[in-house]
PDB file of all heavy atoms in Angstrom:
ATOM      1  N   ASP A1097      60.393  45.982-277.891  1.00 98.00           N
ATOM      2  CA  ASP A1097      59.774  46.396-276.636  1.00 98.00           C
ATOM      3  C   ASP A1097      58.832  45.302-276.167  1.00 98.00           C
ATOM      4  O   ASP A1097      57.857  44.978-276.857  1.00 98.00           O
ATOM      5  CB  ASP A1097      59.014  47.704-276.842  1.00 98.00           C
ATOM      6  CG  ASP A1097      59.979  48.843-277.098  1.00 98.00           C
ATOM      7  OD1 ASP A1097      60.685  49.235-276.143  1.00 98.00           O
ATOM      8  OD2 ASP A1097      60.072  49.294-278.265  1.00 98.00           O
ATOM      9  N   ILE A1098      59.134  44.719-275.017  1.00 97.00           N
ATOM     10  CA  ILE A1098      58.232  43.698-274.506  1.00 97.00           C
ATOM     11  C   ILE A1098      57.783  44.035-273.090  1.00 97.00           C
ATOM     12  O   ILE A1098      58.461  44.735-272.342  1.00 97.00           O
ATOM     13  CB  ILE A1098      58.855  42.272-274.532  1.00 97.00           C
ATOM     14  CG1 ILE A1098      60.180  42.237-273.760  1.00 97.00           C
ATOM     15  CG2 ILE A1098      59.032  41.758-275.949  1.00 97.00           C
ATOM     16  CD1 ILE A1098      60.695  40.836-273.526  1.00 97.00           C
ATOM     17  N   ASP A1099      56.621  43.488-272.794  1.00 97.00           N
ATOM     18  CA  ASP A1099      55.957  43.762-271.540  1.00 97.00           C
ATOM     19  C   ASP A1099      55.876  42.409-270.819  1.00 97.00           C
ATOM     20  O   ASP A1099      55.341  41.463-271.368  1.00 97.00           O
ATOM     21  CB  ASP A1099      54.553  44.268-271.920  1.00 97.00           C
ATOM     22  CG  ASP A1099      53.778  44.750-270.737  1.00 97.00           C
ATOM     23  OD1 ASP A1099      54.385  44.898-269.664  1.00 97.00           O
ATOM     24  OD2 ASP A1099      52.559  44.962-270.886  1.00 97.00           O
ATOM     25  N   VAL A1100      56.489  42.306-269.634  1.00 98.00           N
ATOM     26  CA  VAL A1100      56.544  40.995-268.975  1.00 98.00           C
ATOM     27  C   VAL A1100      56.059  41.037-267.530  1.00 98.00           C
ATOM     28  O   VAL A1100      56.126  42.075-266.865  1.00 98.00           O
ATOM     29  CB  VAL A1100      57.986  40.405-268.974  1.00 98.00           C
ATOM     30  CG1 VAL A1100      58.493  40.168-270.375  1.00 98.00           C
ATOM     31  CG2 VAL A1100      58.940  41.298-268.206  1.00 98.00           C
ATOM     32  N   MET A1101      55.576  39.887-267.058  1.00 97.00           N
ATOM     33  CA  MET A1101      55.400  39.676-265.624  1.00 97.00           C
ATOM     34  C   MET A1101      56.707  39.039-265.175  1.00 97.00           C
ATOM     35  O   MET A1101      57.071  37.971-265.656  1.00 97.00           O
ATOM     36  CB  MET A1101      54.242  38.726-265.344  1.00 97.00           C
ATOM     37  CG  MET A1101      52.891  39.356-265.431  1.00 97.00           C
ATOM     38  SD  MET A1101      52.669  40.760-264.313  1.00 97.00           S
ATOM     39  CE  MET A1101      51.853  39.952-262.962  1.00 97.00           C
ATOM     40  N   LEU A1102      57.394  39.710-264.269  1.00 96.00           N
ATOM     41  CA  LEU A1102      58.741  39.289-263.916  1.00 96.00           C
ATOM     42  C   LEU A1102      58.771  38.792-262.476  1.00 96.00           C
ATOM     43  O   LEU A1102      58.240  39.440-261.576  1.00 96.00           O
ATOM     44  CB  LEU A1102      59.658  40.510-264.063  1.00 96.00           C
ATOM     45  CG  LEU A1102      61.148  40.258-264.296  1.00 96.00           C
ATOM     46  CD1 LEU A1102      61.360  39.602-265.650  1.00 96.00           C
ATOM     47  CD2 LEU A1102      61.908  41.577-264.243  1.00 96.00           C
ATOM     48  N   CYS A1103      59.396  37.634-262.272  1.00 95.00           N
ATOM     49  CA  CYS A1103      59.571  37.144-260.905  1.00 95.00           C
ATOM     50  C   CYS A1103      61.054  37.236-260.577  1.00 95.00           C
ATOM     51  O   CYS A1103      61.894  36.727-261.316  1.00 95.00           O
ATOM     52  CB  CYS A1103      59.082  35.699-260.811  1.00 95.00           C
ATOM     53  SG  CYS A1103      59.267  35.055-259.147  1.00 95.00           S
ATOM     54  N   TRP A1104      61.379  37.916-259.484  1.00 95.00           N
ATOM     55  CA  TRP A1104      62.778  38.215-259.175  1.00 95.00           C
ATOM     56  C   TRP A1104      63.390  37.132-258.290  1.00 95.00           C
ATOM     57  O   TRP A1104      62.801  36.731-257.290  1.00 95.00           O
ATOM     58  CB  TRP A1104      62.870  39.586-258.491  1.00 95.00           C
ATOM     59  CG  TRP A1104      64.284  40.084-258.502  1.00 95.00           C
ATOM     60  CD1 TRP A1104      65.130  40.151-257.443  1.00 95.00           C
ATOM     61  CD2 TRP A1104      65.009  40.568-259.630  1.00 95.00           C
ATOM     62  NE1 TRP A1104      66.346  40.631-257.846  1.00 95.00           N
ATOM     63  CE2 TRP A1104      66.312  40.895-259.172  1.00 95.00           C
ATOM     64  CE3 TRP A1104      64.707  40.743-260.992  1.00 95.00           C
ATOM     65  CZ2 TRP A1104      67.296  41.395-260.032  1.00 95.00           C
ATOM     66  CZ3 TRP A1104      65.685  41.245-261.829  1.00 95.00           C
ATOM     67  CH2 TRP A1104      66.955  41.572-261.357  1.00 95.00           C
ATOM     68  N   LEU A1111      65.954  44.364-258.538  1.00 95.00           N
ATOM     69  CA  LEU A1111      65.888  44.801-259.937  1.00 95.00           C
ATOM     70  C   LEU A1111      66.310  46.264-260.016  1.00 95.00           C
ATOM     71  O   LEU A1111      65.825  47.103-259.248  1.00 95.00           O
ATOM     72  CB  LEU A1111      64.452  44.644-260.453  1.00 95.00           C
ATOM     73  CG  LEU A1111      64.183  45.166-261.874  1.00 95.00           C
ATOM     74  CD1 LEU A1111      64.779  44.240-262.915  1.00 95.00           C
ATOM     75  CD2 LEU A1111      62.685  45.300-262.125  1.00 95.00           C
ATOM     76  N   ARG A1112      67.226  46.555-260.934  1.00 93.00           N
ATOM     77  CA  ARG A1112      67.679  47.946-261.087  1.00 93.00           C
ATOM     78  C   ARG A1112      66.856  48.645-262.165  1.00 93.00           C
ATOM     79  O   ARG A1112      66.841  48.208-263.316  1.00 93.00           O
ATOM     80  CB  ARG A1112      69.163  48.004-261.484  1.00 93.00           C
ATOM     81  CG  ARG A1112      70.121  47.469-260.436  1.00 93.00           C
ATOM     82  CD  ARG A1112      71.579  47.757-260.809  1.00 93.00           C
ATOM     83  NE  ARG A1112      71.931  47.246-262.134  1.00 93.00           N
ATOM     84  CZ  ARG A1112      72.356  45.994-262.369  1.00 93.00           C
ATOM     85  NH1 ARG A1112      72.465  45.127-261.382  1.00 93.00           N
ATOM     86  NH2 ARG A1112      72.660  45.625-263.596  1.00 93.00           N
ATOM     87  N   GLN A1113      66.170  49.713-261.803  1.00 91.00           N
ATOM     88  CA  GLN A1113      65.452  50.496-262.803  1.00 91.00           C
ATOM     89  C   GLN A1113      66.501  51.080-263.741  1.00 91.00           C
ATOM     90  O   GLN A1113      67.547  51.515-263.307  1.00 91.00           O
ATOM     91  CB  GLN A1113      64.697  51.647-262.115  1.00 91.00           C
ATOM     92  CG  GLN A1113      63.726  51.173-261.067  1.00 91.00           C
ATOM     93  CD  GLN A1113      62.282  51.441-261.456  1.00 91.00           C
ATOM     94  OE1 GLN A1113      61.978  51.707-262.615  1.00 91.00           O
ATOM     95  NE2 GLN A1113      61.383  51.357-260.494  1.00 91.00           N
ATOM     96  N   LEU A1129      67.174  46.350-271.434  1.00 98.00           N
ATOM     97  CA  LEU A1129      67.182  47.504-270.549  1.00 98.00           C
ATOM     98  C   LEU A1129      65.830  47.568-269.829  1.00 98.00           C
ATOM     99  O   LEU A1129      64.781  47.420-270.469  1.00 98.00           O
ATOM    100  CB  LEU A1129      67.378  48.768-271.402  1.00 98.00           C
ATOM    101  CG  LEU A1129      67.243  50.120-270.710  1.00 98.00           C
ATOM    102  CD1 LEU A1129      68.487  50.405-269.880  1.00 98.00           C
ATOM    103  CD2 LEU A1129      67.024  51.218-271.736  1.00 98.00           C
ATOM    104  N   VAL A1130      65.863  47.769-268.521  1.00 97.00           N
ATOM    105  CA  VAL A1130      64.615  47.889-267.770  1.00 97.00           C
ATOM    106  C   VAL A1130      64.078  49.309-267.970  1.00 97.00           C
ATOM    107  O   VAL A1130      64.653  50.273-267.487  1.00 97.00           O
ATOM    108  CB  VAL A1130      64.845  47.623-266.270  1.00 97.00           C
ATOM    109  CG1 VAL A1130      63.547  47.793-265.490  1.00 97.00           C
ATOM    110  CG2 VAL A1130      65.436  46.231-266.063  1.00 97.00           C
ATOM    111  N   LYS A1131      62.994  49.414-268.745  1.00 97.00           N
ATOM    112  CA  LYS A1131      62.460  50.744-269.053  1.00 97.00           C
ATOM    113  C   LYS A1131      61.561  51.267-267.949  1.00 97.00           C
ATOM    114  O   LYS A1131      61.625  52.423-267.565  1.00 97.00           O
ATOM    115  CB  LYS A1131      61.678  50.701-270.374  1.00 97.00           C
ATOM    116  CG  LYS A1131      62.579  51.005-271.545  1.00 97.00           C
ATOM    117  CD  LYS A1131      61.889  51.279-272.864  1.00 97.00           C
ATOM    118  CE  LYS A1131      60.398  51.274-272.900  1.00 97.00           C
ATOM    119  NZ  LYS A1131      59.874  51.146-274.270  1.00 97.00           N
ATOM    120  N   GLU A1132      60.703  50.374-267.448  1.00 96.00           N
ATOM    121  CA  GLU A1132      59.737  50.867-266.470  1.00 96.00           C
ATOM    122  C   GLU A1132      59.180  49.717-265.640  1.00 96.00           C
ATOM    123  O   GLU A1132      58.904  48.637-266.166  1.00 96.00           O
ATOM    124  CB  GLU A1132      58.566  51.535-267.229  1.00 96.00           C
ATOM    125  CG  GLU A1132      57.595  52.244-266.324  1.00 96.00           C
ATOM    126  CD  GLU A1132      56.268  52.585-267.013  1.00 96.00           C
ATOM    127  OE1 GLU A1132      56.129  52.360-268.231  1.00 96.00           O
ATOM    128  OE2 GLU A1132      55.361  53.065-266.302  1.00 96.00           O
ATOM    129  N   VAL A1133      59.052  49.955-264.344  1.00 96.00           N
ATOM    130  CA  VAL A1133      58.312  49.008-263.512  1.00 96.00           C
ATOM    131  C   VAL A1133      56.914  49.590-263.363  1.00 96.00           C
ATOM    132  O   VAL A1133      56.752  50.693-262.845  1.00 96.00           O
ATOM    133  CB  VAL A1133      58.969  48.832-262.130  1.00 96.00           C
ATOM    134  CG1 VAL A1133      58.145  47.898-261.253  1.00 96.00           C
ATOM    135  CG2 VAL A1133      60.394  48.303-262.270  1.00 96.00           C
ATOM    136  N   LYS A1134      55.906  48.889-263.844  1.00 96.00           N
ATOM    137  CA  LYS A1134      54.548  49.450-263.841  1.00 96.00           C
ATOM    138  C   LYS A1134      53.862  49.259-262.490  1.00 96.00           C
ATOM    139  O   LYS A1134      53.258  50.172-261.967  1.00 96.00           O
ATOM    140  CB  LYS A1134      53.719  48.828-264.947  1.00 96.00           C
ATOM    141  CG  LYS A1134      54.250  49.228-266.315  1.00 96.00           C
ATOM    142  CD  LYS A1134      53.414  48.671-267.419  1.00 96.00           C
ATOM    143  CE  LYS A1134      53.890  49.240-268.757  1.00 96.00           C
ATOM    144  NZ  LYS A1134      53.381  48.472-269.885  1.00 96.00           N
ATOM    145  N   TYR A1135      53.968  48.036-261.981  1.00 96.00           N
ATOM    146  CA  TYR A1135      53.417  47.787-260.645  1.00 96.00           C
ATOM    147  C   TYR A1135      53.982  46.486-260.107  1.00 96.00           C
ATOM    148  O   TYR A1135      54.564  45.698-260.851  1.00 96.00           O
ATOM    149  CB  TYR A1135      51.877  47.743-260.652  1.00 96.00           C
ATOM    150  CG  TYR A1135      51.268  46.730-261.576  1.00 96.00           C
ATOM    151  CD1 TYR A1135      51.137  45.382-261.209  1.00 96.00           C
ATOM    152  CD2 TYR A1135      50.782  47.112-262.837  1.00 96.00           C
ATOM    153  CE1 TYR A1135      50.570  44.453-262.066  1.00 96.00           C
ATOM    154  CE2 TYR A1135      50.209  46.181-263.702  1.00 96.00           C
ATOM    155  CZ  TYR A1135      50.102  44.859-263.309  1.00 96.00           C
ATOM    156  OH  TYR A1135      49.546  43.928-264.157  1.00 96.00           O
ATOM    157  N   LYS A1136      53.815  46.291-258.824  1.00 95.00           N
ATOM    158  CA  LYS A1136      54.176  45.042-258.193  1.00 95.00           C
ATOM    159  C   LYS A1136      52.890  44.326-257.833  1.00 95.00           C
ATOM    160  O   LYS A1136      51.854  44.952-257.671  1.00 95.00           O
ATOM    161  CB  LYS A1136      54.946  45.349-256.888  1.00 95.00           C
ATOM    162  CG  LYS A1136      56.377  45.024-256.991  1.00 95.00           C
ATOM    163  CD  LYS A1136      57.260  45.162-255.787  1.00 95.00           C
ATOM    164  CE  LYS A1136      56.807  45.592-254.453  1.00 95.00           C
ATOM    165  NZ  LYS A1136      57.953  45.764-253.545  1.00 95.00           N
ATOM    166  N   LEU A1149      57.918  50.466-255.964  1.00 91.00           N
ATOM    167  CA  LEU A1149      58.189  49.718-257.182  1.00 91.00           C
ATOM    168  C   LEU A1149      59.534  49.006-257.139  1.00 91.00           C
ATOM    169  O   LEU A1149      60.082  48.616-258.162  1.00 91.00           O
ATOM    170  CB  LEU A1149      58.125  50.651-258.399  1.00 91.00           C
ATOM    171  CG  LEU A1149      56.734  51.266-258.633  1.00 91.00           C
ATOM    172  CD1 LEU A1149      56.751  52.225-259.801  1.00 91.00           C
ATOM    173  CD2 LEU A1149      55.675  50.189-258.865  1.00 91.00           C
ATOM    174  N   ILE A1151      61.617  45.938-256.773  1.00 93.00           N
ATOM    175  CA  ILE A1151      61.354  44.496-256.861  1.00 93.00           C
ATOM    176  C   ILE A1151      62.551  43.698-256.360  1.00 93.00           C
ATOM    177  O   ILE A1151      63.645  43.788-256.917  1.00 93.00           O
ATOM    178  CB  ILE A1151      61.000  44.088-258.306  1.00 93.00           C
ATOM    179  CG1 ILE A1151      59.713  44.808-258.724  1.00 93.00           C
ATOM    180  CG2 ILE A1151      60.833  42.570-258.421  1.00 93.00           C
ATOM    181  CD1 ILE A1151      59.219  44.432-260.096  1.00 93.00           C
ATOM    182  N   ILE A1156      57.055  39.765-257.521  1.00 94.00           N
ATOM    183  CA  ILE A1156      56.588  39.673-258.900  1.00 94.00           C
ATOM    184  C   ILE A1156      56.066  41.039-259.334  1.00 94.00           C
ATOM    185  O   ILE A1156      55.351  41.705-258.582  1.00 94.00           O
ATOM    186  CB  ILE A1156      55.471  38.611-259.011  1.00 94.00           C
ATOM    187  CG1 ILE A1156      56.065  37.222-258.710  1.00 94.00           C
ATOM    188  CG2 ILE A1156      54.823  38.615-260.394  1.00 94.00           C
ATOM    189  CD1 ILE A1156      55.057  36.101-258.635  1.00 94.00           C
ATOM    190  N   GLY A1157      56.456  41.466-260.532  1.00 96.00           N
ATOM    191  CA  GLY A1157      55.991  42.763-260.991  1.00 96.00           C
ATOM    192  C   GLY A1157      55.838  42.828-262.500  1.00 96.00           C
ATOM    193  O   GLY A1157      56.379  41.989-263.224  1.00 96.00           O
ATOM    194  N   ARG A1158      55.099  43.811-262.938  1.00 97.00           N
ATOM    195  CA  ARG A1158      54.884  44.025-264.371  1.00 97.00           C
ATOM    196  C   ARG A1158      55.921  45.040-264.840  1.00 97.00           C
ATOM    197  O   ARG A1158      56.003  46.145-264.316  1.00 97.00           O
ATOM    198  CB  ARG A1158      53.462  44.562-264.574  1.00 97.00           C
ATOM    199  CG  ARG A1158      53.118  44.874-265.985  1.00 97.00           C
ATOM    200  CD  ARG A1158      52.158  43.843-266.533  1.00 97.00           C
ATOM    201  NE  ARG A1158      51.770  44.252-267.877  1.00 97.00           N
ATOM    202  CZ  ARG A1158      50.544  44.634-268.196  1.00 97.00           C
ATOM    203  NH1 ARG A1158      49.589  44.651-267.277  1.00 97.00           N
ATOM    204  NH2 ARG A1158      50.261  44.978-269.434  1.00 97.00           N
ATOM    205  N   VAL A1159      56.728  44.648-265.840  1.00 97.00           N
ATOM    206  CA  VAL A1159      57.907  45.432-266.224  1.00 97.00           C
ATOM    207  C   VAL A1159      57.967  45.577-267.736  1.00 97.00           C
ATOM    208  O   VAL A1159      57.639  44.642-268.474  1.00 97.00           O
ATOM    209  CB  VAL A1159      59.188  44.715-265.712  1.00 97.00           C
ATOM    210  CG1 VAL A1159      60.451  45.420-266.178  1.00 97.00           C
ATOM    211  CG2 VAL A1159      59.179  44.601-264.189  1.00 97.00           C
ATOM    212  N   SER A1160      58.400  46.763-268.218  1.00 98.00           N
ATOM    213  CA  SER A1160      58.650  46.943-269.651  1.00 98.00           C
ATOM    214  C   SER A1160      60.139  46.845-269.910  1.00 98.00           C
ATOM    215  O   SER A1160      60.940  47.465-269.213  1.00 98.00           O
ATOM    216  CB  SER A1160      58.220  48.331-270.118  1.00 98.00           C
ATOM    217  OG  SER A1160      56.883  48.529-269.850  1.00 98.00           O
ATOM    218  N   LEU A1161      60.495  46.057-270.923  1.00 98.00           N
ATOM    219  CA  LEU A1161      61.902  45.884-271.279  1.00 98.00           C
ATOM    220  C   LEU A1161      62.124  46.348-272.721  1.00 98.00           C
ATOM    221  O   LEU A1161      61.241  46.221-273.570  1.00 98.00           O
ATOM    222  CB  LEU A1161      62.306  44.413-271.180  1.00 98.00           C
ATOM    223  CG  LEU A1161      62.169  43.719-269.820  1.00 98.00           C
ATOM    224  CD1 LEU A1161      62.425  42.222-269.963  1.00 98.00           C
ATOM    225  CD2 LEU A1161      63.135  44.328-268.804  1.00 98.00           C
ATOM    226  N   ARG A1162      63.329  46.879-272.976  1.00 98.00           N
ATOM    227  CA  ARG A1162      63.736  47.238-274.332  1.00 98.00           C
ATOM    228  C   ARG A1162      64.929  46.350-274.672  1.00 98.00           C
ATOM    229  O   ARG A1162      65.885  46.290-273.905  1.00 98.00           O
ATOM    230  CB  ARG A1162      64.138  48.713-274.360  1.00 98.00           C
ATOM    231  CG  ARG A1162      64.846  49.171-275.613  1.00 98.00           C
ATOM    232  CD  ARG A1162      63.857  49.674-276.638  1.00 98.00           C
ATOM    233  NE  ARG A1162      64.528  50.035-277.885  1.00 98.00           N
ATOM    234  CZ  ARG A1162      63.893  50.149-279.046  1.00 98.00           C
ATOM    235  NH1 ARG A1162      62.590  49.925-279.115  1.00 98.00           N
ATOM    236  NH2 ARG A1162      64.542  50.481-280.133  1.00 98.00           N
ATOM    237  N   ILE A1181      61.037  34.258-270.894  1.00 98.00           N
ATOM    238  CA  ILE A1181      62.418  34.771-270.919  1.00 98.00           C
ATOM    239  C   ILE A1181      63.056  34.571-269.543  1.00 98.00           C
ATOM    240  O   ILE A1181      62.363  34.386-268.547  1.00 98.00           O
ATOM    241  CB  ILE A1181      62.479  36.280-271.233  1.00 98.00           C
ATOM    242  CG1 ILE A1181      61.668  37.070-270.181  1.00 98.00           C
ATOM    243  CG2 ILE A1181      61.977  36.598-272.629  1.00 98.00           C
ATOM    244  CD1 ILE A1181      62.270  38.389-269.813  1.00 98.00           C
ATOM    245  N   LEU A1183      66.289  36.605-267.220  1.00 98.00           N
ATOM    246  CA  LEU A1183      67.299  37.661-267.195  1.00 98.00           C
ATOM    247  C   LEU A1183      68.522  37.156-266.445  1.00 98.00           C
ATOM    248  O   LEU A1183      68.400  36.457-265.433  1.00 98.00           O
ATOM    249  CB  LEU A1183      66.771  38.914-266.490  1.00 98.00           C
ATOM    250  CG  LEU A1183      65.614  39.663-267.150  1.00 98.00           C
ATOM    251  CD1 LEU A1183      65.290  40.930-266.356  1.00 98.00           C
ATOM    252  CD2 LEU A1183      65.930  40.016-268.608  1.00 98.00           C
ATOM    253  N   MET A1196      57.306  36.297-268.037  1.00 97.00           N
ATOM    254  CA  MET A1196      56.288  35.782-268.941  1.00 97.00           C
ATOM    255  C   MET A1196      55.768  36.950-269.758  1.00 97.00           C
ATOM    256  O   MET A1196      55.307  37.947-269.195  1.00 97.00           O
ATOM    257  CB  MET A1196      55.160  35.144-268.141  1.00 97.00           C
ATOM    258  CG  MET A1196      55.612  33.836-267.516  1.00 97.00           C
ATOM    259  SD  MET A1196      54.972  33.616-265.863  1.00 97.00           S
ATOM    260  CE  MET A1196      56.100  34.586-264.903  1.00 97.00           C
ATOM    261  N   ILE A1197      55.864  36.825-271.089  1.00 98.00           N
ATOM    262  CA  ILE A1197      55.533  37.950-271.960  1.00 98.00           C
ATOM    263  C   ILE A1197      54.021  38.109-272.047  1.00 98.00           C
ATOM    264  O   ILE A1197      53.286  37.146-272.250  1.00 98.00           O
ATOM    265  CB  ILE A1197      56.146  37.750-273.363  1.00 98.00           C
ATOM    266  CG1 ILE A1197      57.671  37.561-273.257  1.00 98.00           C
ATOM    267  CG2 ILE A1197      55.811  38.928-274.260  1.00 98.00           C
ATOM    268  CD1 ILE A1197      58.363  37.239-274.574  1.00 98.00           C
ATOM    269  N   ARG A1198      53.581  39.368-271.892  1.00 95.00           N
ATOM    270  CA  ARG A1198      52.142  39.670-271.921  1.00 95.00           C
ATOM    271  C   ARG A1198      51.710  40.012-273.331  1.00 95.00           C
ATOM    272  O   ARG A1198      52.451  40.575-274.086  1.00 95.00           O
ATOM    273  CB  ARG A1198      51.860  40.880-271.016  1.00 95.00           C
ATOM    274  CG  ARG A1198      52.394  40.715-269.611  1.00 95.00           C
ATOM    275  CD  ARG A1198      51.399  40.151-268.703  1.00 95.00           C
ATOM    276  NE  ARG A1198      50.238  41.019-268.633  1.00 95.00           N
ATOM    277  CZ  ARG A1198      49.206  40.810-267.830  1.00 95.00           C
ATOM    278  NH1 ARG A1198      49.210  39.763-267.034  1.00 95.00           N
ATOM    279  NH2 ARG A1198      48.182  41.629-267.822  1.00 95.00           N
TER     280      ARG A1198
END
Side-chain angles (χ1 to χ4, degrees):
Chain A
D1097 291 290
I1098 56 169
D1099 187 11
V1100 298
M1101 281 302 263
L1102 204 66
C1103 180
W1104 195 253
L1111 175 74
R1112 295 189 305 273
Q1113 302 247 16
L1129 172 76
V1130 178
K1131 270 192 2 197
E1132 188 195 355
V1133 177
K1134 293 182 173 164
Y1135 57 82
K1136 251 185 1 186
L1149 297 177
I1151 298 183
I1156 294 174
R1158 178 107 175 247
V1159 175
S1160 302
L1161 300 172
R1162 168 90 184 161
I1181 58 143
L1183 295 184
M1196 289 141 279
I1197 303 175
R1198 307 267 300 184

